[in-house]
Amino acid sequence: MTTQPEKLNFDVLIIGGGIAGIEAAINIANNGFKVILAEKDLTIGGKMLLLSKVFPTLDCSACITTPKISEADRHPNITIFTNTEITSIEKQDATYFKANLVKHTRFVEEEDCTGCQLCEEACPVVVPDQYQYGMVGRKAAYIPFNIASPRVATIDIDNCILCGACEKACPTHCINFMQADKNYRLIVKSVIVATGFKLFDATKIQRYQYGTAKNIINAMQMERLLAPTRPYNHVIRPGDGRVPDKIAYVLCTGSRDFTVGNPICSQICCMYSLKQAQLLMGALPMADVTIYYISIRSFGKGFEEFYEQAKSMGINFVKGKIGNITEKENGNLILRYEDVASGRLKESEHDLVVLSVGVVPNEDASSLFGDAEWKQDAFHFPLQKDLLFNPSLSNINGIFMAGTTTGPMDIPDAILSAGAASMEAIQYIQKTAL
Amino acid sequence: MKQKIGVYICHCGGNISDYVDVEKVRQAVIDEPGVALVENTMFACADSNQKKMLDDIKQQQLDGVVVASCSPKLHQPTFQSVVERAGLNKYNYIHANIREQVSWPHSDDKAGATAKAIQLVKAAIAKVRLAESIEPMQIETEQAVLVVGAGIAGMKAAIALAKTGTQVYLIEREHFIGGRIAQWDVLCTTDETGKELVTRLYNEVKACKNIVLFTGAEMIENHGSKGNFKISIRIKPRYIQKHCNDGRLQKAIEVCPVEIEDEFNFNITKRKAIYHNFPSEYPHAAVIDMEHCTRCGECLKICDQINLDQEEERLELKVGSILVATGFDPYEPVEGEFGYQAFDNVVTLPQFKRLVANSEHKLYWKGKRVRNIGYIYCVGSRQTNGDNKYCSRYCCTSTIYAAIKAGEKIKDLNHFHFTRGIRTYGKQEVLYHEASLQGQLFFQSPDDDLPKVETKNSKTIIKVNDLLSLNHSIETEVDLVVLVTGMVPRHNNTVSEILKIPKGRDHFFNEIHMKLRPVETVIDGVSIAGCCQGPKNVVESINSALSAAIKCYSLVSQSHLQVEPIVAGVDEQLCEWCGLCADSCPFDAIHMSQTPAKQTALVNEAVCKGCGMCLPVCPTNAIQLNTYSDPEIESMIQTLASDL
């Protein structure tokens, strides 16, 4: 079914509704400009909304993200499109861009859905929940999680068996299996790319056994175990549901590692591991937590003090790179490593291993720009054409970048970079308007 | 008195309900006078609950709302917006904090936590019963911004603001702009020099007609607040008129008999009392350093454009917002710290950079050839005994880059890095790799066993117990010791006292919220950018400058600003003007007002933060705070105390 795309005009298109995209949207909208925030996921909030607490303040992440989300959501100058993909962006001249968007169908009328979750209860299909990083299941008719924005249901049509149970259960009759994708054609004056980062896929390091050994998780999964919207009400190891009491962190998984093609440091892993270790000391007071590291990089404001706090809490720090991990029959794991302090190869046993996976570029935006070539740097992050003078500028004038689009960074740096991108976008719009 | 109050009690996804029996709270308050409805909700802040609140208020014509959830710091604006959208004045909603004040601190006592939550919710109901509708105050804004500090952050912010059409005043305490970056040579990682970057920024500043730049200008006073700051500045004279002949001026510099250490080169060279600031001199105009000038008159004989009697000027600037970008100082090691000033071949990283910038082909220090350089890291940072606990963030990368660049310029150097763990975060990691491939050597000392600098047979030795080689004791003979000094806040920075910007434990300026509001301060209308907030590299400084700029722009792009009406008010009848309230005010918001009849206290509503400090000190009870009136507070106390 093809329909004529609806035409819309905005001052700025922001691609990506994570914390950087949201911050940039609010900055621009507060100055009277119209913004469209396009998010490919079902909810805005990005990865930050899924975190437990954030370093070094130990603020509850969801609690400090949701006010920003509410602010963007109710802002008269911000239009939010979720479940939406950009298909192309063409620069027309110095004053505007044309962009094509497709807002994918949820098979649910968003305005009518009350988020009652009766469809979820009725749905007989269970598949792994991507928002819990596969640790528990969800239905094919589902709301991503409690604090999703918008908090409306979606039918996962790839897994739906078309039984119609959800339709019957829905009190507002908002489920519509005939609902089609909707196309939009946008005219915008400037674009901000805030597409964030991807997590390093730890299955690429086979000797770490991620994906095969049952009690090895990545740090994002540990975030979920500790978050207020957590899957279980406790920290347990996935293999057998036992409460772990000897937990290991493997830093630099997929970072500072030429063998996986990622020589750079991911900038956040030391700190989030220190934070998780501290939270685990609170959640599991009897547990031993050991952090295996190359060097601890606690470089930001308040970070070094946070590291000192972690040491004083009794977290073990072992300087040494993990060579390989093997699984024992009881599900415990043997870590083999070079112990720098003694200069020897050593082995130690843990019952839960957390891989502190790094940040890798999200290259989704690279194919959008048609003839205008989207250049990348040596690490496949988009090129910052004038790094020191205008860090948010891409190689295409009028297209700016915010947050981890350009490289690893923590939340405050992402907020600063979003501020920079929004200020540059406003200047660009006003310059071209003259 | 409210008749139809709606109460919403939040589970916070377990954050509250794991410790507080929220259903019991609901039942305990349902019969409170005036309560029409009590609901429990999984997440009060979620869209769906907001929608429900909105419908409830409209359909059931609620006249007051209580939300019991997390700290009002997080979601007060969210719920204020909900009641406003439902057509209710937002001051008819009262918040009870049952997370930070109940469930989190009392997680070990569920019954006690539940009892406390009940009391807090009842108190909030008592308050909302008496709540009055008040309207926000409007203030007219000066559509101009003052930027303090013309380093890279200040200049970048000024340019960005000017390009939006905003009037900008850019003041710089020194006679030359560019700040610390003007003193840097090649910058990581683009090979652009500090001079080039500063030149680009300065040219843009000059091209913006709506930037007024004052050099030698210092803030001395502030009267006013968000929207209407009135800032007095003092401008030091240069003592040299504008139209001075270059040749003659050069001669005047030559005849000046005063020679002092040149702080532009971090004291490794000398300059005269009348001087240029080469190589990065903007504006291009010499200046007389009156602190060191002996008024001998030699220069006057040569150049008639010199006037030693020029006087300082004072100006008042009216602006709606202030952006502070006052930068940092390099840490100055104390005498004897790693041999500093005890041995004559110990320099700081900034001195080393100036030395390399001023050298060609071969490196000499005090006449002696330098081949082996030892860098000692974390000097003035990560101190185990000293006050500076923080990591200075930029220095690892800066040192490695300086070593690589020195090696490109001067071929026969050997580099020995004595570190405490290298922190070349992000993409900067590749520099560490490159330096290692070049054969630069890295050692790491334990945090409690730092390197020692000693002399042995008139050679300088760095001794270290190296963690990377089984704690072996290693001695390295070096020609030059470079102390990798961190960043500290600018000394005698009077801006913080004048504007009352709070400082953190690290003595840098403090932001409102480290994560989400990193450039705003608790002083409304004042934002902070660059290294005055904490150590940063160039890119991070520029990003923070632009972020601060957009926050300032949001304030001055509108002709009027709304401010919270929660301010103190003085009953003129009761006031006897004793001045106690003015003394107790931390924001300088209360002054004496002379009316024909008597002297009374007057509150500047734009400056008042509604903190309430003035209330208890008033001997005649003449001051009341909007939304915190005595009847409201007393009714809360009565409720809290009644069931005990």
Side-chain angles (χ1 to χ4, degrees):
Chain A
M1 196 163 56
T2 53
T3 47
Q4 275 297 316
E6 189 178 330
K7 289 182 180 154
L8 299 170
N9 283 289
F10 290 93
D11 291 308
V12 182
L13 163 65
I14 298 179
I15 312 175
I19 192 63
I22 291 171
E23 172 75 10
I26 294 171
N27 280 338
I28 294 170
N30 276 346
N31 287 297
F33 299 97
K34 298 277 181 200
V35 180
I36 177 164
L37 182 62
E39 167 58 53
K40 85 169 180 238
D41 207 337
L42 296 168
T43 169
I44 60 167
K47 290 193 186 64
M48 186 178 169
L49 194 54
L50 298 172
L51 303 180
S52 54
K53 295 189 177 181
V54 287
F55 60 79
T57 50
L58 294 181
D59 280 310
C60 155
S61 185
C63 307
I64 59 172
T65 317
T66 48
K68 287 263 177 196
I69 290 177
S70 302
E71 192 180 347
D73 199 33
R74 63 173 185 258
H75 205 295
N77 291 337
I78 301 177
T79 303
I80 300 174
F81 275 18
T82 49
N83 207 17
T84 297
E85 277 182 278
I86 319 289
T87 50
S88 70
I89 296 176
E90 293 161 52
K91 188 170 170 126
Q92 296 303 311
D93 57 26
T95 59
Y96 74 102
F97 295 85
K98 271 187 188 168
N100 288 310
L101 266 64
V102 49
K103 192 175 191 325
H104 293 297
T105 172
R106 288 173 184 261
F107 301 100
V108 170
E109 302 298 343
E110 271 183 48
E111 310 76 59
D112 299 333
C113 175
T114 61
C116 68
Q117 290 177 288
L118 290 176
C119 56
E120 210 170 290
E121 276 171 35
C123 178
V125 181
V126 179
V127 292
D129 183 351
Q130 70 271 36
Y131 296 101
Q132 304 290 12
Y133 288 79
M135 291 186 293
V136 287
R138 63 150 170 86
K139 299 297 184 67
Y142 70 111
I143 282 173
F145 44 87
N146 242 314
I147 47 175
S149 177
R151 192 173 178 279
V152 293
T154 300
I155 310 295
D156 169 6
I157 207 72
D158 293 335
N159 290 300
C160 175
I161 54 169
L162 299 174
C163 68
C166 54
E167 256 181 314
K168 282 181 212 132
C170 178
T172 61
H173 308 292
C174 67
I175 294 173
N176 172 10
F177 282 99
M178 302 301 286
Q179 192 186 57
D181 287 355
K182 218 170 160 206
N183 293 304
Y184 293 88
R185 170 149 270 216
L186 299 186
I187 303 285
V188 295
K189 293 171 187 156
S190 177
V191 178
I192 293 177
V193 180
T195 45
F197 67 97
K198 290 191 169 162
L199 287 170
F200 174 76
D201 173 9
T203 59
K204 286 187 180 161
I205 306 179
Q206 282 176 9
R207 54 183 201 282
Y208 283 178
Q209 308 289 341
Y210 181 74
T212 51
K214 292 182 288 295
N215 295 318
I216 302 178
I217 60 175
N218 70 29
M220 197 63 197
Q221 290 172 311
M222 181 53 89
E223 286 293 331
R224 297 305 305 144
L225 289 176
L226 294 163
T229 50
R230 52 193 177 259
Y232 326 113
N233 216 4
H234 213 324
V235 176
I236 55 176
R237 61 179 205 171
D240 49 14
R242 255 190 47 211
V243 175
D245 56 24
K246 203 161 181 251
I247 304 167
Y249 275 83
V250 180
L251 293 199
C252 299
T253 303
S255 308
R256 303 178 70 183
D257 188 345
F258 279 90
T259 66
V260 296
N262 190 30
I264 67 173
C265 158
S266 287
Q267 208 159 316
I268 57 170
C269 326
C270 284
M271 288 307 293
Y272 74 57
S273 303
L274 288 176
K275 171 202 69 184
Q276 290 186 356
Q278 292 192 22
L279 295 178
L280 284 168
M281 300 291 275
L284 309 171
M286 302 309 290
D288 274 341
V289 183
T290 306
I291 293 180
Y292 296 90
Y293 68 98
I294 308 177
S295 45
I296 295 290
R297 292 185 163 170
S298 46
F299 56 82
K301 190 162 178 167
F303 291 8
E304 182 69 11
E305 296 86 335
F306 194 73
Y307 175 31
E308 290 301 323
Q309 179 177 309
K311 284 195 274 190
S312 69
M313 285 172 77
I315 293 160
N316 307 314
F317 288 87
V318 176
K319 187 170 171 68
K321 176 100 181 154
I322 299 297
N324 66 26
I325 302 175
T326 44
E327 188 181 26
K328 282 177 58 176
E329 227 166 76
N330 64 2
N332 285 2
L333 302 139
I334 306 291
L335 274 63
R336 193 173 160 81
Y337 63 100
E338 177 207 0
D339 180 44
V340 174
S342 65
R344 292 176 198 283
L345 282 179
K346 284 193 176 174
E347 287 189 343
S348 67
E349 184 172 337
H350 292 271
D351 57 4
L352 179 68
V353 171
V354 184
L355 301 179
S356 296
V357 287
V359 167
V360 294
N362 177 2
E363 297 182 67
D364 288 0
S366 58
S367 58
L368 294 178
F369 301 95
D371 294 341
E373 193 197 350
W374 182 248
K375 289 190 182 148
Q376 293 182 333
D377 67 13
F379 317 107
H380 303 284
F381 287 99
L383 185 73
Q384 293 165 281
K385 190 167 79 174
D386 195 352
L387 180 69
L388 299 183
F389 193 72
N390 189 347
S392 60
L393 180 63
S394 72
N395 70 300
I396 304 172
N397 276 341
I399 299 186
F400 303 96
M401 303 174 292
T404 50
T405 305
T406 54
M409 59 182 80
D410 58 18
I411 295 163
D413 280 339
I415 295 281
L416 293 181
S417 135
S422 42
M423 191 71 212
E424 293 290 355
I426 287 179
Q427 289 174 67
Y428 181 80
I429 293 170
Q430 292 186 324
K431 192 172 77 192
T432 52
L434 292 176
Chain B
M1 194 77 97
K2 302 276 185 296
Q3 303 297 331
K4 295 192 104 181
I5 300 166
V7 182
Y8 297 86
I9 304 162
C10 183
H11 289 240
C12 197
N15 268 312
I16 293 169
S17 56
D18 286 353
Y19 313 105
V20 172
D21 184 340
V22 287
E23 178 53 27
K24 206 167 169 189
V25 178
R26 193 182 78 83
Q27 283 168 10
V29 302
I30 200 155
D31 295 325
E32 285 292 290
V35 170
L37 142 168
V38 187
E39 296 278 353
N40 288 349
T41 166
M42 185 54 78
F43 285 100
C45 56
D47 275 355
S48 53
N49 186 64
Q50 289 187 36
K51 214 159 135 190
K52 179 165 175 10
M53 284 174 69
L54 215 126
D55 292 343
D56 289 347
I57 297 169
K58 281 186 184 162
Q59 285 162 14
Q60 309 201 28
Q61 293 178 318
L62 300 180
D63 56 4
V65 172
V66 170
V67 179
S69 64
C70 53
S71 162
K73 277 187 178 173
L74 294 168
H75 274 296
Q76 187 156 291
T78 310
F79 298 118
Q80 285 184 336
S81 154
V82 173
V83 291
E84 272 190 332
R85 278 178 283 155
L88 210 57
N89 181 284
K90 65 181 179 185
Y91 298 99
N92 292 308
Y93 134 72
I94 303 295
H95 202 92
N97 179 357
I98 59 166
R99 193 179 72 180
E100 281 82 347
Q101 292 179 357
V102 181
S103 65
W104 283 354
H106 303 301
S107 55
D108 55 344
D109 176 10
K110 292 185 184 179
T114 304
K116 184 175 174 185
I118 291 170
Q119 292 298 90
L120 289 181
V121 176
K122 282 185 177 172
I125 295 169
K127 185 172 185 211
V128 82
R129 258 186 240 126
L130 301 173
E132 283 173 24
S133 301
I134 45 173
E135 293 306 321
M137 301 183 304
Q138 293 260 340
I139 51 170
E140 237 176 271
T141 15
E142 288 289 344
Q143 291 178 302
V145 176
L146 172 67
V147 178
V148 186
I152 54 161
M155 285 197 283
K156 186 71 191 179
I159 294 161
L161 284 162
K163 286 192 173 171
T164 64
T166 308
Q167 175 65 45
V168 180
Y169 302 103
L170 175 59
I171 64 170
E172 167 56 51
R173 184 166 73 173
E174 304 299 323
H175 284 290
F176 304 100
I177 58 89
R180 294 296 176 198
I181 291 302
Q183 297 170 287
W184 257 224
D185 196 29
V186 273
L187 299 172
C188 164
T189 52
T190 63
D191 289 355
E192 194 168 2
T193 62
K195 185 186 174 181
E196 284 161 354
L197 183 62
V198 167
T199 305
R200 285 170 76 187
L201 287 163
Y202 182 71
N203 288 341
E204 283 220 28
V205 165
K206 293 316 279 178
C208 292
K209 297 285 170 248
N210 47 349
I211 298 179
V212 183
L213 169 67
F214 299 102
T215 53
E218 218 176 335
M219 180 189 290
I220 49 174
E221 249 182 335
N222 166 38
H223 296 288
S225 58
K226 177 170 101 169
N228 303 288
F229 290 98
K230 294 183 190 71
I231 302 287
S232 304
I233 62 168
R234 174 173 56 207
I235 305 168
K236 288 178 284 183
R238 297 184 101 83
Y239 305 101
I240 300 169
Q241 256 98 326
K242 264 187 186 160
H243 305 288
C244 189
N245 173 295
D246 269 355
R248 235 178 272 155
L249 185 64
Q250 204 47 49
K251 276 215 185 96
I253 294 174
E254 279 162 26
V255 300
C256 175
V258 180
E259 268 209 344
I260 51 163
E261 285 174 334
D262 184 355
E263 65 272 14
F264 181 82
N265 281 328
F266 295 101
N267 305 345
I268 62 170
T269 57
K270 304 267 188 208
R271 68 159 166 81
K272 299 295 184 73
I274 169 170
Y275 70 106
H276 282 292
N277 211 24
F278 285 125
S280 284
E281 176 181 88
Y282 298 108
H284 182 62
V287 64
I288 294 177
D289 170 4
M290 207 36 94
E291 221 176 291
H292 295 99
C293 171
T294 57
R295 290 179 165 264
C296 69
E298 288 300 318
C299 56
L300 293 169
K301 291 178 197 157
I302 292 164
C303 179
D304 59 357
Q305 293 292 310
I306 294 174
N307 173 6
L308 297 181
D309 299 318
Q310 252 182 12
E311 291 193 353
E312 68 173 36
E313 281 178 67
R314 285 185 184 224
L315 277 180
E316 186 176 88
L317 304 172
K318 290 182 180 173
V319 294
S321 176
I322 301 174
L323 190 154
V324 177
T326 46
F328 71 97
D329 278 332
Y331 172 76
E332 177 67 19
V334 296
E335 204 182 318
E337 192 173 359
F338 300 108
Y340 189 66
Q341 285 168 344
F343 309 125
D344 67 357
N345 57 344
V346 179
V347 299
T348 65
L349 177 65
Q351 288 175 328
F352 176 68
K353 288 190 179 216
R354 293 308 310 152
L355 178 66
V356 174
N358 294 332
S359 304
E360 293 292 338
H361 311 302
K362 285 174 184 152
L363 199 63
Y364 287 95
W365 175 252
K366 302 220 160 151
K368 284 188 199 154
R369 187 73 184 275
V370 174
R371 287 195 176 86
N372 296 325
I373 306 171
Y375 305 88
I376 298 180
Y377 283 63
C378 301
V379 178
S381 309
R382 302 176 66 192
Q383 292 175 327
T384 37
N385 296 320
D387 206 21
N388 300 347
K389 301 293 177 207
Y390 56 89
C391 161
S392 285
R393 185 169 183 145
Y394 90 108
C395 1
C396 280
T397 306
S398 186
T399 308
I400 291 174
Y401 195 66
I404 292 172
K405 287 291 148 186
E408 284 172 10
K409 207 169 172 183
I410 298 144
K411 296 296 172 199
D412 59 353
L413 299 178
N414 298 310
H415 306 276
F416 303 94
H417 300 265
F418 300 92
T419 80
R420 286 172 62 191
I422 284 292
R423 295 179 166 179
T424 43
Y425 57 89
K427 298 175 191 172
Q428 301 166 147
E429 176 72 5
V430 293
L431 293 172
Y432 180 27
H433 184 71
E434 186 184 335
S436 306
L437 288 183
Q438 285 178 0
Q440 299 193 21
L441 292 180
F442 290 84
F443 307 88
Q444 183 177 344
S445 48
D447 292 345
D448 54 0
D449 183 13
L450 301 180
K452 290 182 184 63
V453 181
E454 293 169 1
T455 51
K456 220 182 211 174
N457 311 326
S458 75
K459 307 273 190 204
T460 304
I461 307 283
I462 298 177
K463 271 167 101 174
V464 65
N465 293 324
D466 181 31
L467 276 180
L468 305 181
S469 52
L470 304 179
N471 247 358
H472 279 153
S473 188
I474 293 172
E475 294 190 359
T476 311
E477 188 189 315
V478 296
D479 305 316
L480 187 67
V481 180
V482 178
L483 302 184
V484 177
T485 46
M487 290 185 181
V488 294
R490 281 259 183 201
H491 70 286
N492 53 28
N493 188 344
T494 51
V495 175
S496 65
E497 277 112 70
I498 296 166
L499 297 176
K500 301 192 191 302
I501 306 174
K503 292 175 183 171
R505 272 183 302 181
D506 54 9
H507 306 298
F508 287 96
F509 292 160
N510 233 5
E511 61 287 330
I512 273 190
H513 191 278
M514 198 186 273
K515 288 314 244 192
L516 293 182
R517 296 176 74 183
V519 295
E520 295 159 88
T521 68
V522 288
I523 309 303
D524 288 342
V526 176
S527 59
I528 46 178
C531 290
C532 68
Q533 185 261 352
K536 286 179 190 61
N537 66 23
V538 172
V539 172
E540 290 153 0
S541 288
I542 295 286
N543 278 342
S544 90
L546 292 167
S547 289
I550 200 160
K551 299 298 174 194
C552 291
Y553 181 55
S554 303
L555 289 178
V556 302
S557 63
Q558 307 147 36
S559 60
H560 288 81
L561 281 177
Q562 279 202 353
V563 290
E564 277 282 339
I566 302 176
V567 292
V570 178
D571 184 332
E572 285 179 18
Q573 301 291 318
L574 294 174
C575 177
E576 301 284 345
W577 180 248
C578 60
L580 285 174
C581 53
D583 294 342
S584 70
C585 177
F587 303 100
D588 209 15
I590 306 180
H591 293 276
M592 194 257 286
S593 155
Q594 180 76 55
T595 62
K598 66 194 276 204
Q599 291 178 340
T600 60
L602 183 71
V603 178
N604 179 347
E605 295 186 336
V607 183
C608 177
K609 291 256 182 283
C611 69
M613 295 294 277
C614 52
L615 272 65
V617 300
C618 179
T620 60
N621 209 15
I623 304 188
Q624 292 280 332
L625 188 61
N626 275 345
T627 75
Y628 293 92
S629 67
D630 286 354
E632 284 168 283
I633 299 299
E634 280 161 12
S635 75
M636 290 178 82
I637 294 171
Q638 224 150 31
T639 312
L640 284 168
S642 65
D643 289 348
L644 291 180

